[in-house]
Amino acid sequence: MNEKRIKKLQESLVQRSVDAILLSNPTSIFYLSGAKIEPFERMWLLLVPAKGESVLFANKLFVFEDTGIETVWHTDSDNAPELLCSYLNGFSVLGVDRDVPAKYLVPILHSYPKMDIEVSNALEDLRIVKDEEELELMRISSKINDEVIVEAFDRLRPGMTEKDLSAIIEDSYVAHGAQCPSFGTIVAFGANAADPHHEPDNTVFTGEGGVLIDMGCTYREYCSDMTRTCFYGRVTEKEKLVYNTVLEATEKAKTIIKPGVRFCDIDAAARNHIAEAGFGEYFTHRLGHCIGLMDHEPEDVGPVNEHPVREGMVFSIEPGIYVPGEVGVRIEDLVIVTKDGYESLNHVPRDLVVKKI
Ligand code: GLY
Ligand code: MN
Ligand code: MN
């Protein structure tokens, strides 16, 4: 168990006048307890009261090391929701995370009709600001990502398919000390890169043209996520213009990052630049997303998020221009918000490269 994090959560519950919070997101439970479980349909919940001791609800089929948190065990023969309800006596206001299944929520509502139940982001609010231990793991995760992407671009040869290169990347992660990819690796040759979420297929690399790679791994559960677009053999004037516009957009956005600046203003710095260059309609997604124990965590670096960024937050800056059937370019880095600016977690050069094989 991470006592410091639980204590911080409890302070936040007191401030919010919430008597207890019921957490069902396995990543959030891991964050507080240190136990990592894939519960599928079985009950795996953590109840944290504003005052007093937390309780973990676990099925006896789960195997995990002692967390130091009182564990209430059940089996498949027990009525799990009823067991949960028996631990909620005395709470007037119960916070729940946004993932709590209806199969628990409805019995709680029936058992405690007078209880105030609210979706609480108290835990997300803690998770979004990384502590020094987390930042160190994220630096390592991105360092591995940097190493593996450089190797991937170097190992690409004519005749390979997108699937081949993606498999090389995913195998390399383990050799470099990572656990696994943090999401399905994206490899896109030529015009395939105009689909932001292109799935690697059997398209064969001819030895020429643009190659976009968007990849990430997990290191001790912490995710990395970066994108580079590289050209082989030649680059057209249009590709150059698109590339440099995306590159300038990343710089425009990064320049204004510091505590207190709103997420939407960081998004606008990049988006306005791309629009002024005449490619506005081809930048079709948010500028970025927070990241940590999951590749995509709340919140968005997007046009409608008016929240200010805080020191210790980690998010991606990933503008792109996608001209269907023609060209796709995305450049993505992770940044940590520092006291007066940002620290980049990625150090692979960003300038336009035309590689010779
Ligand atoms: N891997 C998708 C993204 O960069 O958000
Ligand atoms: Mn990505
Ligand atoms: Mn991303």
Side-chain angles (χ1 to χ4, degrees):
M1 115 169 90
N2 191 313
E3 287 182 54
K4 210 163 127 194
R5 291 177 187 166
I6 292 180
K7 190 158 173 281
K8 267 191 174 176
L9 176 61
Q10 289 180 311
E11 285 165 4
S12 167
L13 295 179
V14 170
Q15 270 177 12
R16 292 163 190 247
S17 303
V18 171
D19 296 327
I21 188 166
L22 183 65
L23 300 168
S24 64
N25 179 305
T27 309
S28 295
I29 297 175
F30 168 73
Y31 176 78
L32 295 176
S33 73
K36 180 101 180 155
I37 292 292
E38 173 41 82
F40 298 105
E41 72 277 20
R42 293 190 166 89
M43 185 162 79
W44 175 240
L45 299 169
L46 179 59
L47 180 67
V48 180
K51 294 194 173 107
E53 298 303 316
S54 304
V55 180
L56 194 55
F57 296 90
N59 191 293
K60 281 189 176 163
L61 291 171
F62 301 156
V63 179
F64 57 91
E65 279 182 22
D66 182 26
T67 62
I69 298 175
E70 180 195 342
T71 305
V72 175
W73 295 98
H74 64 280
T75 71
D76 287 355
S77 306
D78 293 320
N79 183 330
E82 203 172 89
L83 177 68
L84 168 66
C85 286
S86 71
Y87 278 79
L88 301 179
N89 254 320
F91 298 136
S92 304
V93 183
L94 178 71
V96 296
D97 68 20
R98 67 176 90 180
D99 303 310
V100 169
K103 65 180 176 180
Y104 304 127
L105 210 43
V106 172
I108 295 172
L109 286 165
H110 283 156
S111 302
Y112 297 95
K114 292 202 177 125
M115 189 189 269
D116 253 351
I117 299 180
E118 57 184 58
V119 176
S120 171
N121 69 350
L123 201 266
E124 274 112 332
D125 221 36
L126 277 190
R127 269 179 58 186
I128 198 170
V129 173
K130 273 63 184 174
D131 58 34
E132 202 36 60
E133 185 187 327
E134 294 180 287
L135 292 178
E136 206 37 47
L137 297 176
M138 294 199 74
R139 287 187 186 99
I140 297 171
S141 186
S142 279
K143 183 168 179 289
I144 294 172
N145 215 23
D146 276 1
E147 291 165 359
V148 174
I149 204 169
V150 169
E151 275 183 25
F153 279 119
D154 284 346
R155 289 172 70 177
L156 180 58
R157 291 286 175 275
M160 279 186 188
T161 65
E162 293 173 346
K163 279 186 181 167
D164 291 336
L165 188 57
S166 145
I168 287 174
I169 290 166
E170 297 191 355
D171 287 347
S172 299
Y173 278 140
V174 178
H176 281 257
Q179 294 166 280
C180 55
S182 51
F183 58 91
T185 304
I186 297 172
V187 174
F189 297 156
N192 288 351
D195 168 8
H197 281 154
H198 176 71
E199 241 183 72
D201 60 24
N202 291 320
T203 303
V204 174
F205 182 55
T206 61
E208 283 206 330
V211 175
L212 180 152
I213 304 179
D214 182 351
M215 52 187 257
C217 61
T218 59
Y219 177 78
R220 289 179 49 197
E221 309 303 333
Y222 281 86
C223 299
S224 48
D225 181 6
M226 80 178 308
T227 308
R228 288 291 182 271
T229 310
C230 185
F231 293 88
Y232 287 76
R234 52 125 199 99
V235 62
T236 66
E237 285 309 309
K238 173 122 183 219
E239 287 168 336
K240 239 192 239 178
L241 176 63
V242 165
Y243 189 93
N244 286 324
T245 303
V246 173
L247 179 59
E248 288 153 10
T250 68
E251 298 309 328
K252 295 269 182 200
K254 286 178 183 172
T255 308
I256 66 165
I257 297 172
K258 64 176 180 188
V261 173
R262 299 181 308 172
F263 281 108
C264 57
D265 294 328
I266 299 170
D267 179 278
R271 197 167 301 279
N272 291 343
H273 182 73
I274 290 175
E276 280 160 19
F279 294 108
E281 68 183 290
Y282 301 116
F283 177 23
T284 48
H285 53 73
R286 62 188 176 185
L287 180 65
H289 53 85
C290 285
I291 182 166
L293 287 167
M294 295 189 308
D295 180 38
H296 289 182
E297 294 198 332
E299 312 194 15
D300 286 350
V301 189
V304 295
N305 186 357
E306 295 182 355
H307 293 160
V309 306
R310 289 181 269 160
E311 186 178 352
M313 285 181 171
V314 184
F315 50 80
S316 66
I317 297 291
E318 50 178 305
I321 295 176
Y322 312 97
V323 186
E326 247 185 280
V327 55
V329 171
R330 179 165 64 258
I331 301 171
E332 174 178 22
D333 286 318
L334 299 186
V335 296
I336 303 173
V337 181
T338 60
K339 197 155 68 79
D340 48 14
Y342 72 92
E343 170 190 335
S344 181
L345 288 182
N346 297 104
H347 303 284
V348 176
R350 291 166 204 95
D351 284 339
L352 177 67
V353 173
V354 183
K355 273 178 100 73
K356 302 272 176 268
I357 295 182

